[in-house]
């Protein structure tokens, strides 16, 4: 068993990481700059700049003919969606009655019948 545990979420992030590793092995000279634009944060609010550098001289070179920009962007979009879902899940949990109840118990908060916190 993995130290991450096994669930849909970890399986998915492992697949995304494997795809990035595959792309890195296929294109070791690739450098990508991903920058945010706009007001919102989602997979469509980013710009991509791709650069290829000679691994020996460090000089920029032309894109390899077999580089599939779309494949890289799709993998990034999967990662962005995965992160967004994790943030949504955490937000929902942090605002759940279950989490609030746990915090009240852990911190030994008590309340009066009128709902005021006792010291």
């Amino acid at each position: 068993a993995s130290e991450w545990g096994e669930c849909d979420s970890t399986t998915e992030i492992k697949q995304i990481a494997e795809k990035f590793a595959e792309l890195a092995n296929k294109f070791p000279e690739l450098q990508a700059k991903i920058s945010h634009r706009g007001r919102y944060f989602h997979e469509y609010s980013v710009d991509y700049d791709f650069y290829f550098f000679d691994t020996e001289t460090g000089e920029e070179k032309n894109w390899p003919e077999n580089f599939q920009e779309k494949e890289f962007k799709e993998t990034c979009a999967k990662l962005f969606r995965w992160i967004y879902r994790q943030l949504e899940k955490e937000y929902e949990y942090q605002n759940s009655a279950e989490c609030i109840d746990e915090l009240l118990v852990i911190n030994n908060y008590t309340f009066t019948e009128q709902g005021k916190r006792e010291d």
Side-chain angles (χ1 to χ4, degrees), residues 50-63:
F50 298 104
Y51 307 93
F52 288 87
F53 292 91
D54 186 294
T55 53
E56 291 183 21
T57 66
E59 294 181 17
E60 192 167 354
K61 64 181 201 174
N62 294 331
W63 285 24

Side-chain angles (χ1 to χ4, degrees), residues 20-67:
F20 276 124
E22 176 187 315
L23 289 167
N25 287 330
K26 195 173 180 181
F27 303 104
E29 65 280 351
L30 169 66
Q31 290 187 19
K33 179 182 176 187
I34 303 170
S35 51
H36 172 258
R37 71 175 145 70
R39 184 174 163 174
Y40 300 99
F41 289 85
H42 52 71
E43 66 188 275
Y44 302 110
S45 64
V46 292
D47 289 319
Y48 299 87
D49 291 309
F50 298 104
Y51 307 93
F52 288 87
F53 292 91
D54 186 294
T55 53
E56 291 183 21
T57 66
E59 294 181 17
E60 192 167 354
K61 64 181 201 174
N62 294 331
W63 285 24
E65 288 184 25
N66 62 339
F67 177 63

Side-chain angles (χ1 to χ4, degrees), residues 56-88:
E56 291 183 21
T57 66
E59 294 181 17
E60 192 167 354
K61 64 181 201 174
N62 294 331
W63 285 24
E65 288 184 25
N66 62 339
F67 177 63
Q68 296 293 318
E69 179 179 343
K70 183 178 178 184
E71 182 180 21
F72 183 88
K73 288 180 177 180
E74 286 174 354
T75 305
C76 286
K78 286 179 183 179
L79 174 61
F80 300 152
R81 286 190 297 269
W82 183 87
I83 291 170
Y84 196 86
R85 282 192 309 275
Q86 303 319 301
L87 291 170
E88 280 181 322

